[in-house]
Amino acid sequence: MPRKVNYGLDYDDGYDDYDDYDDYEDYANANDYGVKEKDLFPFPEVTEKPSWNDRSTIKVEKKTTKLALWQCSVCNSDNEQSSSSCDICGVLRDPAQNIGNGSAENVRGKCKDSGASIMAKSLFAQSPCQRPEKAIISDEFVRESSNKPSEKAKSQASFDELQKIFVASHQGHSLSIAPFQFNTLSPDDMVSVGKISSKKSSKVSANNTGKKAIAKFSATNEMAENSSGIISGANQLNGSESGNANIKSDAPQILASDLHQMKLDKASTNFRKAKPLAEYKPEKWMLANQDGILNQLNLAVVGHVDSGKSTLSGQLLHLLGRVSKKEMHKFEKEAKEKGKGSFAFAWATDESAEERERGITMTVAVAYFDSKKYRVVLLDSPGHKDFVPNMISGATQADAAVLVVDASIGSFEAGMDGNGFGQTKEHAQLIRSFGVEQVIVAVNKMDTVGFSKERFEFIKSQLGNFLRSCGFKESQITWIPLSAMENENLVTSATDARLSSWYEGSCLLEAVDSLQLPVRDASKPLLLPICDVIKSHSLGQVAACGKIETGAIKNGSRVLVMPLREVATVRSIERDSCPCSVARAGDNVAVSLQGIDGVHVTPGGVLCHPDYPVTVASRLELKILVLDIMGPILVGSKFEFHIHHAKEAARLVKIVSLVDQKTGEAAKKTPRFLTAKQSAIIEVALDRAVCAEEFSKHRALGRAFLRASGCTVGVGIVSKVFSDES
Ligand code: GTP
Ligand code: MG
């Protein structure tokens, strides 16, 4: 099964607070730290928030439930009569009002949600699939144990404990209100016209942002011996019910002490002077080609909530033999029993009980499949607005992306909503900001619009304009009409005459194969931003997961674990769930470490070469582009600051200058506040230090995002690092 990336405690996912998604008001009024908007400090108060009920033009849907609720025709969620659009997926009640072209007639009467029967048809009509030699990820022990109530209770206890500490340590943070639109230049564009230039160079995909550094637990006792153990341990605590097995009864105490020790204690750091980069000479083994081994391609699947990302991922994995017929049959049966028959494919990646119950993805799932050219690392991201930070953390590893859009009437339009509710736009803007240049737009659910060419062309023109405005080149965008549910145009050409009559392009799998691999830089010192940590407290073992941005490692390599500057030795490496002795730039790996206390390995940290430590700083100068925010950003404004997989509370301490977007030159004028679409150089102070580098030195560690009140308010690059050592 796919590995779930664990985010530990997330600023945004106070799961307990979000139990009731229908209660939009409650959580719309609480910021990421649980502080009410009225208490917020920096942004001027926004009296009117965009409301779903404002859409006066919307007609009332005829279909209502007994309890005066209406059911969303796309995600089947029940919504209150007063809501004019679905609280979960944002689909309007009367889609016909929003049709952008004349395709309504084409789609009338078509089934929007094919449900289990069509799924079953497509499932069992497949030619027999080979069960993969290795499960994508498996650890029966973990799954079995995690179902035991006693173990769940322990996991929950530790989670609660963590949450208390975390909330206590973050009290007083406040955020600003700033809905925005994404029709502005990407940071790469800013950089390309800016002084801190990065000539069009190859890069090891972009990076940014992440999550709170929180320890996780591995359930495995065999991490070192059994390579699958490393990854399988990722079925850990994620704040939901996917609690862990094997957590000792003292876990809360351990976690508590972990959390406290995570604070940078400079006095106890193992300071080692960095060598000049020019002195670095890679060893021969680092650069050697791996004959016969497929290159890894990190592919993020992103898009608006309910667009079908997980269904697409699950269907692909099933068609390519990574999820067996038996497993699919089980998913189908269980999903049907729970009244979620149409989500059966999504269950392949939506593993937690909470995700399945709600029918939404909450954390990124990592799965693997082979195409002709690549070993694809599939990162199925959450589409819901509340989980954008999780999406950011997973998708920063992407070399390329599949942007899934829902072709059905009203749903595509909901994804394009510019008021912070349309994640098609937000995700597209974000992935471009991560440095992703190649995107496949999977226009999904074409079955719901009768595979209408007009609808496809309409979506292509609308979204195409937006993608170009984000900085995607026309030649780097591939458009594929498909139906994940009905298995049309995924791994083979379309068979439905309604599609094949007008579409002759490649299917999704062929499009994946036609993606170009970004140049990997194994010749530089090691840099591996830690996305995920798996720990076995009983054995004192720890594994760090993430994508190697530069350099290479092998078993026995010495690595420096930042920001706590602990040296460790690589005990074993796992790539694609298989053990390997060497891993190079671009590889997504789990690295088991020895000689280090697991407390010192945290998500958001970085593994690097002992002689070339990454910079640690709590004050940074950023060159940012302000997105379409409503109110101004003032000195003193507080944000969630994201950089690679690290996330930290930050405060704007200085606006250095505005930047002329045409020349990239700093303007003389120093404004007192920033407004939408302005480019500026600013200084931010972080509550705690993070690993960061100037963008010109390390792209992956030099991209930053500022978020507030659940919206991305600025994207940018690190232009100066005020190192804590200096
Ligand atoms: P989040 O991860 O929560 O953002 O959702 P998602 O994008 O992963 O969507 P998911 O795969 O969970 O699917 C949402 C709904 O769309 C489910 O009911 C699916 O059955 C349905 N769906 C997905 N693909 C198709 C399709 O090709 N055709 C039809 N008719 N329905 C589809
Ligand atoms: Mg999903």
Side-chain angles (χ1 to χ4, degrees):
M1 288 305 300
R3 169 167 69 95
K4 271 290 192 185
V5 172
N6 182 35
Y7 301 94
L9 279 173
D10 194 296
Y11 286 52
D12 277 11
D13 56 5
Y15 296 104
D16 293 340
D17 296 338
Y18 297 126
D19 275 349
D20 186 0
Y21 270 79
D22 291 334
D23 195 353
Y24 235 90
E25 273 308 303
D26 272 356
Y27 74 79
N29 284 334
N31 64 23
D32 296 334
Y33 301 92
V35 180
K36 291 287 175 187
E37 277 178 7
K38 58 180 162 52
D39 299 326
L40 298 182
F41 156 59
F43 281 74
E45 207 159 288
V46 174
T47 45
E48 271 183 40
K49 273 191 284 147
S51 156
W52 294 105
N53 301 332
D54 287 347
R55 299 165 198 253
S56 47
T57 52
I58 295 163
K59 287 186 204 158
V60 176
E61 172 137 342
K62 289 166 202 148
K63 193 173 160 189
T64 52
T65 64
K66 285 179 223 155
L67 297 168
L69 299 173
W70 60 272
Q71 194 177 47
C72 174
S73 55
V74 173
C75 69
N76 294 334
S77 308
D78 289 335
N79 294 280
E80 288 180 9
Q81 280 296 347
S82 57
S83 302
S84 52
S85 59
C86 175
D87 282 349
I88 295 294
C89 65
V91 168
L92 304 180
R93 285 179 74 176
D94 185 1
Q97 292 295 319
N98 260 16
I99 303 169
N101 65 2
S103 57
E105 281 169 23
N106 298 340
V107 302
R108 191 157 295 141
K110 299 285 176 204
C111 161
K112 284 187 78 161
D113 188 342
S114 311
S117 56
I118 292 178
M119 183 197 70
K121 193 178 69 185
S122 66
L123 255 185
F124 300 110
Q126 304 306 316
S127 53
C129 288
Q130 286 258 314
R131 198 190 159 87
E133 275 174 32
K134 282 204 170 275
I136 299 167
I137 284 150
S138 73
D139 188 346
E140 291 310 321
F141 174 68
V142 175
R143 267 182 239 120
E144 273 173 38
S145 309
S146 62
N147 289 333
K148 293 178 190 165
S150 59
E151 297 296 347
K152 273 188 186 170
K154 286 173 194 169
S155 313
Q156 192 56 51
S158 48
F159 179 80
D160 291 344
E161 186 68 24
L162 258 178
Q163 192 166 27
K164 268 184 226 145
I165 297 160
F166 184 80
V167 169
S169 69
H170 282 81
Q171 258 163 15
H173 291 297
S174 58
L175 292 172
S176 46
I177 310 155
F180 63 96
Q181 288 175 335
F182 295 97
N183 51 3
T184 45
L185 291 174
S186 73
D188 276 6
D189 296 325
M190 288 165 50
V191 169
S192 63
V193 294
K195 280 277 178 204
I196 306 165
S197 97
S198 49
K199 285 231 153 78
K200 214 50 196 180
S201 75
S202 57
K203 63 182 170 285
V204 182
S205 91
N207 268 358
N208 277 355
T209 328
K211 52 208 133 194
K212 200 65 236 141
I214 296 292
K216 318 193 307 191
F217 299 97
S218 164
T220 181
N221 284 332
E222 305 156 9
M223 190 182 295
E225 293 76 28
N226 177 0
S227 61
S228 74
I230 296 178
I231 294 244
S232 58
N235 282 341
Q236 11 52 359
L237 190 66
N238 65 3
S240 67
E241 291 160 55
S242 57
N244 256 332
N246 232 21
I247 298 172
K248 300 282 173 211
S249 56
D250 57 349
Q253 287 75 19
I254 296 167
L255 267 174
S257 76
D258 284 4
L259 202 68
H260 288 307
Q261 288 191 47
M262 276 164 47
K263 295 203 169 203
L264 262 185
D265 179 359
K266 284 188 209 156
S268 68
T269 53
N270 228 337
F271 187 73
R272 187 162 170 166
K273 203 161 189 296
K275 287 187 181 172
L277 199 61
E279 282 182 18
Y280 180 74
K281 297 242 172 339
E283 294 171 44
K284 220 172 173 187
W285 62 267
M286 295 177 170
L287 307 173
N289 284 330
Q290 300 167 304
D291 286 337
I293 300 179
L294 289 176
N295 278 317
Q296 269 193 347
L297 178 84
N298 295 283
L299 190 66
V301 183
V302 298
H304 191 63
V305 68
D306 267 343
S307 54
K309 299 176 291 297
S310 302
T311 303
L312 180 73
S313 305
Q315 177 73 278
L316 264 182
L317 294 171
H318 170 63
L319 294 171
L320 297 171
R322 308 298 304 206
V323 174
S324 68
K325 265 190 180 178
K326 197 173 155 204
E327 277 172 303
M328 266 321 304
H329 190 59
K330 188 166 162 267
F331 292 149
E332 191 195 0
K333 195 166 155 255
E334 289 175 4
K336 223 170 169 179
E337 278 166 15
K338 296 224 153 108
K340 296 264 177 196
S342 68
F343 285 88
F345 282 112
W347 280 27
T349 52
D350 290 345
E351 282 192 303
S352 79
E354 196 168 5
E355 287 180 321
R356 290 178 175 185
E357 203 174 296
R358 291 181 172 182
I360 57 167
T361 305
M362 293 159 84
T363 57
V364 173
V366 186
Y368 305 94
F369 69 82
D370 287 350
S371 66
K372 271 193 199 143
K373 228 168 115 185
Y374 299 119
R375 164 60 53 97
V376 178
V377 181
L378 192 77
L379 304 156
D380 177 23
S381 313
H384 195 282
K385 187 175 181 296
D386 286 346
F387 303 107
V388 171
N390 292 354
M391 170 270 173
I392 290 175
S393 182
T396 54
Q397 302 170 68
D399 298 315
V402 177
L403 175 63
V404 182
V405 293
D406 182 343
S408 50
I409 309 297
S411 301
F412 167 70
E413 287 76 9
M416 295 293 284
D417 187 331
N419 289 325
F421 292 101
Q423 270 60 56
T424 302
K425 280 189 168 183
E426 182 170 14
H427 283 198
Q429 177 85 44
L430 283 169
I431 55 167
R432 185 66 196 90
S433 306
F434 303 155
V436 171
E437 291 175 353
Q438 306 168 83
V439 63
I440 297 171
V441 184
V443 183
N444 189 28
K445 306 198 190 180
M446 284 296 289
D447 53 300
T448 66
V449 291
F451 294 97
S452 155
K453 184 181 179 194
E454 290 69 38
R455 180 69 177 163
F456 176 73
E457 292 299 339
F458 170 73
I459 290 171
K460 195 171 162 183
S461 76
Q462 295 278 304
L463 184 55
N465 286 340
F466 178 74
L467 292 178
R468 283 186 292 278
S469 77
C470 293
F472 286 102
K473 286 195 194 129
E474 184 71 50
S475 57
Q476 305 277 40
I477 310 172
T478 311
W479 299 87
I480 313 227
L482 51 85
S483 168
M485 182 64 94
E486 298 206 351
N487 181 19
E488 279 299 328
N489 220 10
L490 291 181
V491 298
T492 52
S493 302
T495 51
D496 193 306
R498 291 173 296 173
L499 181 57
S500 57
S501 61
W502 59 268
Y503 180 77
E504 286 173 353
S506 48
C507 66
L508 181 63
L509 194 62
E510 287 163 350
V512 169
D513 264 333
S514 63
L515 293 168
Q516 298 300 312
L517 211 59
V519 175
R520 314 295 199 189
D521 202 348
S523 63
K524 282 192 181 154
L526 174 72
L527 266 187
L528 188 163
I530 304 171
C531 172
D532 213 2
V533 176
I534 302 163
K535 289 178 185 173
S536 166
H537 283 287
S538 52
L539 296 183
Q541 288 169 3
V542 61
C545 306
K547 178 182 160 197
I548 302 178
E549 292 295 344
T550 55
I553 40 168
K554 64 177 178 178
N555 291 341
S557 292
R558 303 272 288 163
V559 293
L560 188 65
V561 182
M562 299 295 276
L564 294 176
R565 301 182 179 285
E566 290 286 326
V567 177
T569 306
V570 175
R571 182 190 186 118
S572 61
I573 307 169
E574 201 172 89
R575 180 185 184 266
D576 312 337
S577 319
C578 301
C580 62
S581 50
V582 180
R584 299 182 176 84
D587 288 344
N588 208 311
V589 288
V591 183
S592 173
L593 299 170
Q594 62 184 15
I596 186 166
D597 185 337
V599 166
H600 297 146
V601 189
T602 52
V606 176
L607 297 189
C608 50
H609 189 293
D611 293 330
Y612 301 89
V614 65
T615 317
V616 176
S618 53
R619 191 175 173 115
L620 300 165
E621 184 189 89
L622 308 175
K623 190 173 178 184
I624 63 154
L625 177 68
V626 182
L627 301 180
D628 265 353
I629 55 172
M630 298 251 288
I633 300 178
L634 307 166
V635 171
S637 296
K638 292 188 175 180
F639 306 102
E640 243 176 60
F641 174 82
H642 295 251
I643 187 162
H644 53 93
H645 303 294
K647 184 162 79 169
E648 196 52 69
R651 191 168 49 88
L652 175 62
V653 288
K654 189 173 172 188
I655 300 174
V656 179
S657 67
L658 282 180
V659 173
D660 183 326
Q661 287 180 18
K662 286 200 188 105
T663 63
E665 304 273 345
K668 284 195 186 120
K669 213 169 121 199
T670 305
R672 288 174 52 214
F673 56 85
L674 298 174
T675 54
K677 294 187 182 171
Q678 283 186 323
S679 260
I681 296 174
I682 60 169
E683 278 179 31
V684 291
L686 311 181
D687 274 15
R688 285 182 297 184
V690 295
C691 300
E693 289 286 1
E694 285 168 20
F695 182 80
S696 52
K697 287 190 190 154
H698 285 292
R699 287 182 160 222
L701 295 188
R703 288 193 166 95
F705 301 85
L706 299 173
R707 302 194 89 238
S709 289
C711 292
T712 309
V713 296
V715 293
I717 56 169
V718 178
S719 47
K720 203 185 283 175
V721 178
F722 301 97
S723 166
D724 281 6
E725 284 136 28
S726 63

Short mmCIF file of all heavy atoms in Angstrom, two decimals, residues 4 305-311 313 343 346 349-350 355 359-363 380-383, ligand 2:
data_model
loop_
_atom_site.label_atom_id
_atom_site.label_comp_id
_atom_site.label_asym_id
_atom_site.label_seq_id
_atom_site.Cartn_x
_atom_site.Cartn_y
_atom_site.Cartn_z
N LYS A 4 1.88 6.89 3.58
CA LYS A 4 1.27 8.18 3.86
C LYS A 4 2.30 9.08 4.48
O LYS A 4 2.97 8.69 5.44
CB LYS A 4 0.11 8.01 4.84
CG LYS A 4 -1.20 7.73 4.13
CD LYS A 4 -1.65 8.97 3.40
CE LYS A 4 -3.09 8.83 2.94
NZ LYS A 4 -3.49 9.98 2.14
N VAL A 305 -10.41 20.08 -4.76
CA VAL A 305 -11.01 18.98 -4.00
C VAL A 305 -12.04 18.23 -4.86
O VAL A 305 -12.77 18.84 -5.64
CB VAL A 305 -11.66 19.52 -2.69
CG1 VAL A 305 -12.86 20.40 -2.97
CG2 VAL A 305 -12.05 18.40 -1.74
N ASP A 306 -11.99 16.92 -4.74
CA ASP A 306 -12.94 16.04 -5.44
C ASP A 306 -12.79 16.01 -6.96
O ASP A 306 -13.71 15.58 -7.64
CB ASP A 306 -14.39 16.42 -5.09
CG ASP A 306 -14.90 15.61 -3.91
OD1 ASP A 306 -14.28 14.58 -3.61
OD2 ASP A 306 -15.91 16.01 -3.31
N SER A 307 -11.68 16.49 -7.46
CA SER A 307 -11.52 16.46 -8.91
C SER A 307 -11.22 15.04 -9.41
O SER A 307 -11.27 14.77 -10.60
CB SER A 307 -10.42 17.42 -9.36
OG SER A 307 -9.23 17.14 -8.65
N GLY A 308 -10.89 14.15 -8.46
CA GLY A 308 -10.65 12.76 -8.84
C GLY A 308 -9.18 12.37 -8.80
O GLY A 308 -8.78 11.38 -9.43
N LYS A 309 -8.38 13.07 -8.03
CA LYS A 309 -6.94 12.77 -7.95
C LYS A 309 -6.68 11.37 -7.40
O LYS A 309 -5.88 10.62 -7.95
CB LYS A 309 -6.23 13.80 -7.04
CG LYS A 309 -6.34 15.23 -7.52
CD LYS A 309 -5.72 16.21 -6.56
CE LYS A 309 -6.50 16.36 -5.27
NZ LYS A 309 -7.86 16.88 -5.40
N SER A 310 -7.37 11.04 -6.30
CA SER A 310 -7.11 9.74 -5.68
C SER A 310 -7.71 8.62 -6.53
O SER A 310 -7.13 7.54 -6.64
CB SER A 310 -7.70 9.70 -4.27
OG SER A 310 -7.16 10.73 -3.52
N THR A 311 -8.85 8.90 -7.14
CA THR A 311 -9.45 7.89 -8.02
C THR A 311 -8.50 7.63 -9.19
O THR A 311 -8.24 6.49 -9.56
CB THR A 311 -10.82 8.38 -8.52
OG1 THR A 311 -11.63 8.67 -7.39
CG2 THR A 311 -11.50 7.36 -9.39
N SER A 313 -5.26 8.15 -9.22
CA SER A 313 -4.06 7.47 -8.71
C SER A 313 -4.37 6.00 -8.46
O SER A 313 -3.60 5.11 -8.86
CB SER A 313 -3.59 8.11 -7.40
OG SER A 313 -3.37 9.49 -7.58
N PHE A 343 -15.96 5.79 -4.15
CA PHE A 343 -14.61 6.15 -3.70
C PHE A 343 -13.67 4.94 -3.65
O PHE A 343 -12.57 5.05 -3.13
CB PHE A 343 -14.66 6.80 -2.31
CG PHE A 343 -15.17 8.23 -2.35
CD1 PHE A 343 -16.53 8.50 -2.26
CD2 PHE A 343 -14.29 9.29 -2.50
CE1 PHE A 343 -17.00 9.80 -2.31
CE2 PHE A 343 -14.75 10.59 -2.55
CZ PHE A 343 -16.11 10.86 -2.46
N ALA A 346 -10.28 5.48 -4.85
CA ALA A 346 -9.58 6.46 -4.01
C ALA A 346 -9.06 5.80 -2.73
O ALA A 346 -8.07 6.26 -2.17
CB ALA A 346 -10.51 7.62 -3.68
N THR A 349 -5.33 4.98 -2.12
CA THR A 349 -4.37 5.95 -1.56
C THR A 349 -4.91 6.64 -0.31
O THR A 349 -4.14 7.08 0.53
CB THR A 349 -3.98 7.02 -2.60
OG1 THR A 349 -5.17 7.58 -3.14
CG2 THR A 349 -3.13 6.46 -3.71
N ASP A 350 -6.23 6.75 -0.20
CA ASP A 350 -6.80 7.33 1.02
C ASP A 350 -6.91 6.21 2.04
O ASP A 350 -7.89 5.47 2.08
CB ASP A 350 -8.21 7.90 0.74
CG ASP A 350 -8.15 9.15 -0.11
OD1 ASP A 350 -7.06 9.72 -0.25
OD2 ASP A 350 -9.21 9.56 -0.62
N GLU A 355 -10.06 9.70 6.41
CA GLU A 355 -10.11 10.08 5.00
C GLU A 355 -11.22 9.33 4.29
O GLU A 355 -11.95 9.90 3.48
CB GLU A 355 -8.77 9.77 4.33
CG GLU A 355 -7.65 10.70 4.72
CD GLU A 355 -6.34 10.38 4.03
OE1 GLU A 355 -6.03 9.17 3.87
OE2 GLU A 355 -5.61 11.30 3.66
N GLY A 359 -14.34 10.99 2.75
CA GLY A 359 -14.24 11.01 1.29
C GLY A 359 -13.33 12.11 0.79
O GLY A 359 -13.47 12.58 -0.34
N ILE A 360 -12.37 12.51 1.62
CA ILE A 360 -11.38 13.49 1.15
C ILE A 360 -9.98 13.04 1.58
O ILE A 360 -9.82 12.37 2.60
CB ILE A 360 -11.62 14.93 1.69
CG1 ILE A 360 -11.65 14.96 3.21
CG2 ILE A 360 -12.88 15.53 1.11
CD1 ILE A 360 -11.57 16.37 3.77
N THR A 361 -9.01 13.43 0.80
CA THR A 361 -7.63 13.13 1.15
C THR A 361 -7.15 14.22 2.10
O THR A 361 -7.44 15.39 1.90
CB THR A 361 -6.76 13.12 -0.12
OG1 THR A 361 -7.33 12.19 -1.04
CG2 THR A 361 -5.33 12.73 0.17
N MET A 362 -6.42 13.80 3.13
CA MET A 362 -5.93 14.79 4.10
C MET A 362 -4.41 14.92 4.09
O MET A 362 -3.87 15.98 4.37
CB MET A 362 -6.42 14.42 5.49
CG MET A 362 -7.94 14.56 5.61
SD MET A 362 -8.63 13.61 6.93
CE MET A 362 -8.40 14.70 8.28
N THR A 363 -3.72 13.83 3.82
CA THR A 363 -2.26 13.89 3.76
C THR A 363 -1.79 13.30 2.44
O THR A 363 -2.51 12.52 1.81
CB THR A 363 -1.63 13.09 4.91
OG1 THR A 363 -2.10 11.74 4.82
CG2 THR A 363 -2.00 13.67 6.26
N ASP A 380 0.08 11.65 -4.28
CA ASP A 380 -1.34 12.02 -4.36
C ASP A 380 -1.65 13.04 -3.26
O ASP A 380 -1.63 12.72 -2.07
CB ASP A 380 -2.21 10.76 -4.20
CG ASP A 380 -3.70 11.08 -4.19
OD1 ASP A 380 -4.08 12.15 -4.73
OD2 ASP A 380 -4.48 10.28 -3.64
N SER A 381 -1.93 14.26 -3.67
CA SER A 381 -2.05 15.36 -2.71
C SER A 381 -3.51 15.62 -2.33
O SER A 381 -4.41 15.36 -3.11
CB SER A 381 -1.50 16.65 -3.31
OG SER A 381 -0.27 16.41 -3.91
N PRO A 382 -3.71 16.19 -1.15
CA PRO A 382 -5.08 16.58 -0.79
C PRO A 382 -5.50 17.83 -1.55
O PRO A 382 -4.67 18.71 -1.79
CB PRO A 382 -4.99 16.88 0.71
CG PRO A 382 -3.55 17.06 1.02
CD PRO A 382 -2.74 16.48 -0.10
N GLY A 383 -6.77 17.89 -1.91
CA GLY A 383 -7.24 19.06 -2.66
C GLY A 383 -7.99 20.05 -1.79
O GLY A 383 -8.16 21.20 -2.16
MG MG B 2 -7.81 12.48 -2.91
#
